[in-house]
Amino acid sequence: MNTLVALCAVGAEKILGNEIKLLGYKLISNAPGRVTFSGDDDALFRTNLCLRTADRVYLQMAEYAAADFDQLFDGVYAVPWQDFLRKDSRVVVDKVRSHKSVLNSEHSIQGMVQKAIYKKLGDVWHMQTLPESGEESDVRVYLDNDRAIVLLDLSGLPLHKRGYRTDGGIAPLRETTAASLLQFMLWRRKTPLHDPFCGSGTIPIEATLYAYNVAPGFGRRFALETLPIFNSRRALEIKRAEAEKIRTDVEVHITGTDIDPAAVQRACTNAEHACVMAGRALNLIDSSAKVHRPDFDVASFSDIQAPFSHGLLLCNPPYGERIGDEAQASELYRSMQSLFLDFKGWEMGVITSHQKFQESIGRYATALKSLKSGNLDTTLYMYTGEEKQKQPKMAKPRSSDARKPRKARANGADRNGRTDRQGQRPARPAKMSHAEEF
């Protein structure tokens, strides 16, 4: 059995752990932003292919006491690196994390680990100098309470890079984060889903892949495929087995809108790419079935109504970090109060880093979930119908029998059918791009 480590956003460890268990692997431990588990040789490829919320997957090469540099060097040297790397591999110690350890200089630790790896390879292959002309192999080191964990990267590019998004626009939401939001909200494929700030379409697309049970890694390659331990024949068998699990017989209602026509065009293009990816996976099992892409439309969130009596609104509106400013974001959130009326009976999830989101939108969330991915601290505000209303001044709800989010209030009318003196719609706060941010 192998010991593997999967990284994720801080706060999503339990979600990732559940995914790993559903694949049939045993959890060992977790720490902020990472989950350690055991798996067979198939797990090296299968977890990269199938995990939706993991950012990377590593193979643990060693764990040992390292209170000084001699111990650090000896532990790395003891690993049979010649079985995992090629003679022309270019080894990069890409990151070091030290916590409550005597060794805390990241630069020095990087240099010592790399020296030990090249020393071992040179001694085994009787080479004074290694060419380093081949594929890059990344190694990561964690030092915690003077114990070292040495990891070999099996993913390559971060796993949120699924391969379907060619244009994310400004500050797009990570695909792995979108997948985590769906799990936090306990979303199921039978529940209608709408994103009123769809941007490049990440949330609806990830929901589509989840609903049809399409493994997210079908559209890309992994660092594992460049290593001598990679079994290409077995990998193809795993791909075919996962393609057999794709559900094309399900009915789903997944939609997105955005005020920016360019963003909607990006969302449509990215969704098409995702569905092509799914189609190629189905071709592996000689199936001509199709996965249908989510529907996108150009509309302001204030001009749409619920197409069903229940569902989930899930969105990543601008929050002033990289799109607009805090004052604009606060004004936007105040105007989002209309969603509670226009989508009455729906649950809602909003991810933002804005500290006064609840104060602005006028309602306390039923539950909060903190997520940290990269350097950005965000909170998922979950509204399930049990929250308290903070500012009860809202317009009366409207009924709707539309089956897609319906545009409303034509001819310049406001929410109550009124117009201003010139027959134009009353002025709104300054427009903000609804492109996704994270």
Side-chain angles (χ1 to χ4, degrees), residues 10 22 68 72 89 121 185 213 262 265 297 334 373 398:
V10 176
L22 285 173
D68 56 44
L72 179 65
S89 293
L121 295 176
M185 297 300 301
N213 202 32
Q265 182 57 54
D297 198 5
R334 279 191 286 273
S373 187
R398 300 189 302 273

Side-chain angles (χ1 to χ4, degrees), residues 114-130:
Q114 190 172 45
K115 179 180 178 181
I117 295 173
Y118 278 127
K119 172 66 173 168
K120 179 60 174 280
L121 295 176
D123 289 348
V124 171
W125 292 326
H126 307 291
M127 300 172 66
Q128 292 291 327
T129 303
L130 296 172

Side-chain angles (χ1 to χ4, degrees), residues 312-348:
L312 172 63
L313 276 176
L314 186 59
C315 60
N316 172 47
Y319 38 86
E321 290 286 342
R322 286 172 285 179
I323 301 177
D325 56 36
E326 286 198 13
Q328 287 179 303
S330 295
E331 186 62 29
L332 173 67
Y333 298 151
R334 279 191 286 273
S335 62
M336 283 174 62
Q337 294 180 29
S338 63
L339 290 173
F340 291 109
L341 303 177
D342 294 334
F343 285 79
K344 188 175 182 180
W346 284 47
E347 295 185 355
M348 183 164 71

Side-chain angles (χ1 to χ4, degrees), residues 159-174:
L159 293 178
H160 75 265
K161 295 181 180 295
R162 313 287 205 212
Y164 64 73
R165 188 167 68 185
T166 55
D167 186 356
I170 301 174
L173 184 73
R174 285 186 179 181

Side-chain angles (χ1 to χ4, degrees), residues 207-265:
T208 299
L209 296 180
Y210 177 74
Y212 288 99
N213 202 32
V214 180
F218 270 120
R220 54 162 291 167
R221 293 173 60 83
F222 309 105
L224 170 65
E225 298 176 58
T226 68
L227 303 178
I229 59 173
F230 178 61
N231 185 333
S232 58
R233 178 189 60 80
R234 184 59 189 147
L236 180 57
E237 292 174 353
I238 293 171
K239 280 186 172 183
R240 285 174 174 160
E242 294 303 322
E244 291 280 2
K245 299 176 184 178
I246 296 176
R247 297 281 305 274
T248 58
D249 59 339
V250 296
E251 181 180 358
V252 297
H253 301 280
I254 301 171
T255 54
T257 51
D258 198 287
I259 199 172
D260 181 4
V264 172
Q265 182 57 54

Side-chain angles (χ1 to χ4, degrees), residues 103-322:
L103 303 179
N104 55 23
S105 170
E106 294 185 9
H107 181 74
S108 298
I109 294 169
Q110 283 176 313
M112 186 60 67
V113 170
Q114 190 172 45
K115 179 180 178 181
I117 295 173
Y118 278 127
K119 172 66 173 168
K120 179 60 174 280
L121 295 176
D123 289 348
V124 171
W125 292 326
H126 307 291
M127 300 172 66
Q128 292 291 327
T129 303
L130 296 172
E132 300 185 75
S133 58
E135 298 284 348
E136 178 179 313
S137 294
D138 291 341
V139 173
R140 183 169 294 200
V141 181
Y142 288 95
L143 279 165
D144 194 353
N145 290 299
D146 294 326
R147 288 195 64 81
I149 298 176
V150 182
L151 308 174
L152 177 63
D153 182 23
L154 301 178
S155 300
L157 290 173
L159 293 178
H160 75 265
K161 295 181 180 295
R162 313 287 205 212
Y164 64 73
R165 188 167 68 185
T166 55
D167 186 356
I170 301 174
L173 184 73
R174 285 186 179 181
E175 292 84 340
T176 48
T177 303
S180 297
L181 300 184
L182 292 166
Q183 296 303 311
F184 281 125
M185 297 300 301
L186 302 177
W187 182 73
R188 296 295 177 263
R189 64 169 65 93
K190 292 182 180 180
T191 303
L193 181 143
H194 182 68
D195 180 356
F197 301 89
C198 70
S200 59
T202 305
I203 291 175
I205 294 171
E206 287 297 314
T208 299
L209 296 180
Y210 177 74
Y212 288 99
N213 202 32
V214 180
F218 270 120
R220 54 162 291 167
R221 293 173 60 83
F222 309 105
L224 170 65
E225 298 176 58
T226 68
L227 303 178
I229 59 173
F230 178 61
N231 185 333
S232 58
R233 178 189 60 80
R234 184 59 189 147
L236 180 57
E237 292 174 353
I238 293 171
K239 280 186 172 183
R240 285 174 174 160
E242 294 303 322
E244 291 280 2
K245 299 176 184 178
I246 296 176
R247 297 281 305 274
T248 58
D249 59 339
V250 296
E251 181 180 358
V252 297
H253 301 280
I254 301 171
T255 54
T257 51
D258 198 287
I259 199 172
D260 181 4
V264 172
Q265 182 57 54
R266 285 193 294 268
C268 291
T269 300
N270 293 333
E272 288 288 352
H273 292 163
C275 291
V276 168
M277 176 189 79
R280 288 174 178 167
L282 288 166
N283 288 341
L284 294 173
I285 56 173
D286 298 322
S287 172
S288 59
K290 301 293 182 183
V291 169
H292 300 288
R293 73 166 178 84
D295 291 325
F296 296 100
D297 198 5
V298 179
S300 170
F301 70 89
S302 60
D303 291 337
I304 57 177
Q305 294 176 316
F308 300 94
S309 60
H310 71 284
L312 172 63
L313 276 176
L314 186 59
C315 60
N316 172 47
Y319 38 86
E321 290 286 342
R322 286 172 285 179

